[in-house]
């Protein structure tokens, strides 16, 4: 598999920006970690990485929740209003947004998610971005004033389509404003949520005109944009209605309403030149991805993420609306190359979501198990193809079984002082075998030698394919081979009977630990750094996280590295959880 932008070695990776209507949960952390693994992997291959995440702070849903919390939560009302009386509603809403946005930022910090940009849609530069983007689309003639009536879902911040309306029922009650109430029952999950009926004037975007170009971009150009490709099923009904029976040119894609009356949704960015309308929260949010031009050949056009990660429920917004907006704004934009879509974490089979109130708090999980253990768990059991139940008991289980028993055990037994290894003999072995690709002199070393030699490439292809669970599994398999190699060769006997053979055996074990730590670095950066610090005397991980270059080549080649290794006191790195 190929990496993106192999010519420029620059990549821009993004996560969705999260609604601030509540605190972050495990699902949000999951996407952040998948994006962080991607970006650490790309850095390891020598790329200059831009990694953007952030918070989505406008729209009806946030506005509604903020007003509710401000009313009911005295603490929020007083802490956000130091002057006491008279703070404008919009300032209070902003204070509410600050509170939750900071929690998302804090989560990145404790989970070791190394973003380069944290976008907030309430920031000044975002305001300018959205208005500029709107104007480009408008000036190109793709936005017009129209009328829209239909059922609106506050949870999803979108109007339902005709097909969805089959699942909407009238219920026997009205809200405090005497509005008729409706319920939408999701045909897949059977969950019910409230929807409202609106009939209003708003600006519309000529989405229908882009149908064929979008199809070409997603399906016909052979660029494999969607990862995994099976996710395209979720778009077929939208783009093709019925692929088999209806000729595609006879199927109309409806235009999309892209503004809301400010009287209903005031919390947002005004439509340029018409303050009676607020820009639709999804157009507003998607514009967060536009980043300043970068690099020599980019001209003046904004940068678009090359790799976009997200949960499956927002695939339509990212693979249809977003490229359509971009195409409408300018034909110079370089469309996203990979739209990487993962399943949901569920709680006892039900999707974890703020609206349903069944979420797991990521902060307490990190406090309890440490960020590496949680990252490892999420990578191992989260899957891009399916949904997965969050099973807390598996966090210590996976950590102990895989990392402590395999990597930790190998590290402690190979560095035991009882073996009395003479490290100064190791470089010779290195130069003769692993480094120059020669076959080992002793056939007892063939299996581990071959496995170690091909490991970096095998693991790289898993990362490049976004199959991080398989990357970890591949490393673990090599560690299992190494542990068996250790036992089979009985170094505790060799130390008395055959010191030369002892050195060979220990060399392979130490090289395996070193290379496996580098390859696991994107997933468990803390532990890998601790281990690699024993090998390398470096102050920043950048020095050893490359594995496309010489860093992976060899370690036991200079007297300096041997001295460092000898002097380093090996601490017990893996305390079982
Ligand atoms: O949709 N399992 O924000 P959001 C896995 N603001 N991932 C989950 C998850 C779960 N149970 N729940 C949430 C929005 N996520 C918009 C996005 S982008 C221009 C605007 C993750 O707060 C997953 O990445 O509802 C999902 O797509 C995202 O959080 C939705 O976060």
């Amino acid at each position: 598999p190929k990496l993106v932008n192999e010519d420029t070695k620059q990549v821009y990776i993004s996560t969705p920006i999260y609604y601030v209507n509540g605190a972050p949960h495990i699902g949000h952390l999951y996407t952040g970690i998948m994006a962080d693994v991607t970006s650490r992997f790309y850095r390891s291959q020598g790329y200059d990485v831009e990694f953007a995440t952030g918070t989505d702070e406008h729209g009806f849903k946030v506005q509604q929740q903020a007003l509710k919390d401000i009313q009911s939560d005295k603490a929020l009302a007083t802490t956000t209003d130091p002057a006491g009386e008279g703070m404008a509603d919009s300032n209070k809403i902003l204070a509410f947004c600050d509170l939750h946005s900071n929690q998302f930022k804090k989560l990145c910090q404790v989970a070791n998610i190394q973003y380069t940009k944290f976008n907030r849609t309430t920031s000044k530069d975002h305001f300018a971005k959205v208005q500029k983007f709107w104007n480009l689309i408008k000036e190109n003639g793709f936005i017009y004033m129209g009328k829209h009536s239909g059922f609106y879902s506050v949870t999803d911040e979108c109007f339902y389509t005709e097909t969805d309306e089959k699942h909407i029922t009238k219920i026997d009650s009205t809200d405090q404003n005497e509005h008729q109430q409706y319920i939408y029952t999701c045909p897949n999950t059977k969950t019910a949520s409230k929807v409202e009926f609106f009939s209003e004037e708003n600006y519309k975007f000529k989405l229908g005109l882009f149908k064929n170009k979008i199809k070409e971009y997603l399906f016909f150009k052979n660029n494999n944009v969607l990862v995994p490709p099976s996710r395209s099923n979720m778009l077929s009904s939208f783009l093709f209605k019925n692929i088999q029976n209806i000729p595609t040119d006879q199927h109309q894609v409806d235009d999309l309403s892209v503004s809301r009356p400010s009287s209903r949704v005031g919390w947002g960015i005004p439509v340029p030149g018409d303050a009676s309308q607020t820009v639709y929260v999804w157009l507003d949010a998607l514009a967060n991805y536009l980043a300043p031009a970068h690099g020599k050949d980019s001209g003046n056009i904004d940068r678009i993420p090359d790799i976009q990660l997200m949960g499956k429920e927002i695939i339509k917004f990212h693979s249809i609306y977003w490229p359509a907006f971009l195409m409408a704004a300018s034909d110079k934009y370089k469309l996203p190359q990979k739209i990487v879509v993962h399943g949901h974490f569920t709680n006892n089979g039900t999707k974890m979501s703020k609206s349903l109130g069944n979420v797991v708090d990521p902060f307490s999980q990190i406090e309890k198990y440490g960020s590496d253990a949680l990252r490892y768990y999420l990578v191992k059991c989260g899957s891009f193809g399916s949904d997965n139940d969050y099973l807390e008991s598996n966090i210590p289980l996976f950590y102990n079984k895989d990392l402590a028993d395999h990597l930790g055990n190998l590290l402690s037994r190979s560095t035991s002082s009882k073996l009395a290894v003479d490290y100064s003999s190791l470089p010779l072995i290195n130069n003769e075998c692993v480094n120059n690709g020669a076959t080992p002199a002793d056939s007892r070393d063939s299996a581990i030698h071959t496995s170690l030699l091909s490991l970096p490439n095998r693991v790289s292809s898993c990362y490049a394919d976004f199959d991080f669970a398989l990357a970890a599994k591949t490393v673990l398999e090599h560690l299992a081979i190494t542990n068996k190699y250790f036992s089979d060769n009985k170094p505790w006997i060799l130390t008395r009977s055959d010191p030369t053979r002892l050195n060979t055996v220990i060399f392979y074990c130490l090289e395996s630990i070193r290379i496996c730590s580098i390859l696991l670095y994107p997933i468990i950066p803390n532990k890998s750094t601790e281990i690699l610090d024993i090998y390398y005397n470096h102050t920043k991980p950048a020095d050893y996280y490359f594995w496309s270059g010489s860093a992976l080549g060899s370690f036991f080649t200079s007297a300096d590295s041997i001295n460092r290794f000898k002097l380093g006191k090996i601490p017990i790195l893996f305390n079982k959880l």
Side-chain angles (χ1 to χ4, degrees):
K2 280 174 70 118
L3 302 187
V4 306
N5 299 344
E6 279 183 329
D7 46 344
T8 60
K9 291 247 170 190
Q10 285 180 348
V11 66
Y12 173 13
I13 297 163
S14 68
T15 74
I17 49 170
Y18 308 107
Y19 288 128
V20 288
N21 61 329
H25 63 73
I26 284 290
H28 301 117
L29 177 66
Y30 178 56
T31 317
I33 285 172
M34 294 303 109
D36 188 59
V37 172
T38 311
S39 94
R40 285 177 195 267
F41 166 67
Y42 269 88
R43 279 190 208 117
S44 78
Q45 304 301 305
Y47 275 66
D48 169 11
V49 175
E50 169 97 299
F51 170 13
T53 186
T55 44
D56 187 354
E57 310 185 14
H58 287 140
F60 197 59
K61 177 147 106 175
V62 171
Q63 173 180 308
Q64 214 179 32
Q65 189 64 44
L67 295 173
K68 210 160 115 193
D69 280 23
I70 291 163
Q71 251 181 5
S72 65
D73 184 345
K74 288 268 178 320
L76 188 74
T78 49
T79 52
T80 60
D81 191 358
E85 298 295 303
M87 195 182 200
D89 256 6
S90 61
N91 284 346
K92 288 185 189 162
I93 300 178
L94 189 58
F96 166 88
C97 292
D98 286 345
L99 186 86
H100 291 303
S101 181
N102 285 337
Q103 290 173 321
F104 279 94
K105 228 182 226 174
K106 176 92 188 146
L107 182 61
C108 291
Q109 200 192 337
V110 296
N112 239 322
I113 296 171
Q114 239 172 28
Y115 59 78
T116 57
K117 187 90 210 299
F118 192 94
N119 289 317
R120 295 188 57 180
T121 57
T122 47
S123 71
K124 261 207 191 92
D125 62 309
H126 180 76
F127 186 99
K129 255 192 228 179
V130 172
Q131 291 216 327
K132 187 176 139 205
F133 195 49
W134 176 284
N135 284 334
L136 283 175
I137 301 174
K138 181 96 200 298
E139 280 156 21
N140 288 338
F142 297 113
I143 287 178
Y144 61 94
M145 188 45 126
K147 197 168 172 78
H148 194 93
S149 35
F151 291 96
Y152 193 78
S153 158
V154 175
T155 313
D156 297 337
E157 288 279 20
C158 64
F159 278 107
Y160 280 127
T161 62
E162 242 175 75
T163 339
D164 300 320
E165 287 183 12
K166 285 201 294 254
H167 308 290
I168 292 174
T169 46
K170 206 167 167 177
I171 54 167
D172 217 8
S173 88
T174 53
D175 67 7
Q176 70 267 41
N177 300 323
E178 307 279 300
H179 283 144
Q180 176 62 50
Q181 299 284 285
Y182 297 89
I183 293 285
Y184 171 79
T185 311
C186 174
N188 300 325
T189 62
K190 307 287 177 233
T191 48
S193 55
K194 229 171 68 183
V195 293
E196 307 194 21
F197 187 83
F198 289 111
S199 179
E200 59 194 27
E201 294 229 300
N202 46 38
Y203 288 96
K204 295 193 117 181
F205 169 67
K206 296 183 182 171
L207 180 64
L209 290 182
F210 295 89
K211 186 183 70 173
N212 289 334
K213 277 172 120 179
I214 299 279
K215 278 200 271 195
E216 191 178 310
Y217 159 63
L218 291 176
F219 304 120
F220 302 147
K221 276 209 171 144
N222 206 17
N223 359 324
N224 302 320
V225 177
L226 291 171
V227 180
S230 56
R231 292 285 180 205
S232 65
N233 293 341
M234 302 180 77
L235 300 171
S236 304
S237 66
F238 189 79
L239 282 175
F240 300 92
K241 271 225 162 116
N242 181 335
I243 299 180
Q244 275 89 33
N245 304 330
I246 301 181
T248 52
D249 52 351
Q250 284 174 26
H251 159 51
Q252 295 286 317
V253 170
D254 292 339
D255 287 349
L256 177 72
S257 110
V258 284
S259 73
R260 304 284 178 258
S262 311
S263 53
R264 184 163 72 78
V265 187
W267 184 241
I269 294 177
V271 166
D274 181 359
S276 75
Q277 293 276 326
T278 303
V279 175
Y280 175 37
V281 65
W282 268 102
L283 176 53
D284 171 339
L286 287 163
N288 98 85
Y289 296 130
L290 301 166
H294 184 75
K296 278 200 301 285
D297 308 321
S298 57
N300 276 328
I301 197 80
D302 296 315
R303 239 181 135 187
I304 310 300
D306 301 293
I307 301 175
Q308 302 206 267
L309 291 102
M310 72 204 64
K312 65 180 183 183
E313 83 293 356
I314 53 176
I315 183 172
K316 182 172 84 182
F317 300 94
H318 284 81
S319 52
I320 295 177
Y321 298 174
W322 173 229
F325 290 150
L326 289 168
M327 289 171 187
S330 164
D331 53 14
K332 294 204 180 65
Y333 284 125
K334 193 171 166 216
L335 299 179
Q337 299 176 55
K338 296 284 169 201
I339 298 180
V340 185
V341 185
H342 62 70
H344 286 148
F345 268 102
T346 53
N347 194 339
N348 285 322
T350 311
K351 188 200 165 191
M352 231 183 252
S353 90
K354 279 176 278 195
S355 318
L356 295 175
N358 62 347
V359 299
V360 175
D361 166 32
F363 292 101
S364 64
Q365 299 285 283
I366 291 175
E367 209 157 281
K368 208 158 153 190
Y369 302 108
S371 79
D372 273 6
L374 185 57
R375 288 172 69 110
Y376 185 74
Y377 166 76
L378 292 173
V379 163
K380 181 162 163 150
C381 92
S383 143
F384 283 161
S386 60
D387 290 351
N388 292 288
D389 226 29
Y390 185 78
L391 260 186
E392 186 177 339
S393 56
N394 276 345
I395 302 172
L397 188 77
F398 291 171
Y399 182 86
N400 292 340
K401 203 164 68 74
D402 293 357
L403 299 178
D405 289 355
H406 278 85
L407 188 53
N409 180 38
L410 184 63
L411 181 65
S412 72
R413 68 208 296 220
S414 318
T415 54
S416 161
S417 57
K418 286 194 199 124
L419 295 176
V421 174
D422 174 12
Y423 293 101
S424 63
S425 309
L426 299 180
L428 275 176
I429 303 165
N430 182 50
N431 284 339
E432 278 166 16
C433 334
V434 174
N435 218 20
N436 59 19
T439 38
D442 193 317
S443 65
R444 286 171 296 180
D445 304 328
S446 296
I448 190 168
H449 181 93
T450 316
S451 170
L452 191 56
L453 215 55
S454 64
L455 190 64
N457 274 342
R458 286 185 284 134
V459 176
S460 297
S461 359
C462 300
Y463 278 117
D465 263 350
F466 303 95
D467 195 343
F468 309 146
L470 190 60
K473 187 164 172 263
T474 308
V475 174
L476 260 291
E477 278 163 6
H478 177 81
L479 288 170
I481 291 175
T482 317
N483 268 310
K484 180 164 185 308
Y485 170 83
F486 187 98
S487 311
D488 289 350
N489 282 285
K490 301 191 174 59
W492 55 94
I493 293 174
L494 295 177
T495 188
R496 278 172 276 120
S497 64
D498 188 350
T500 314
R501 179 77 196 136
L502 172 73
N503 285 336
T504 308
V505 171
I506 293 304
F507 162 75
Y508 276 114
C509 294
L510 291 176
E511 274 300 74
S512 290
I513 294 165
R514 182 179 70 85
I515 290 173
C516 289
S517 303
I518 293 176
L519 300 179
L520 287 176
Y521 176 80
I523 303 172
I524 47 163
N526 282 343
K527 272 297 164 220
S528 290
T529 303
E530 278 181 56
I531 297 169
L532 292 167
D533 277 347
I534 296 167
Y535 285 78
Y536 298 92
N537 197 8
H538 296 168
T539 46
K540 51 177 212 296
D543 292 337
Y544 48 66
Y545 67 42
F546 287 94
W547 73 73
S548 49
S550 59
L552 200 58
S554 66
F555 180 75
F556 295 99
T557 46
S558 71
D560 184 39
S561 67
I562 295 153
N563 286 335
R564 219 179 292 134
F565 196 76
K566 191 158 56 176
L567 294 173
K569 195 167 158 293
I570 314 288
I572 297 170
L573 289 182
F574 288 85
N575 289 318
K576 286 214 177 182
L577 294 175

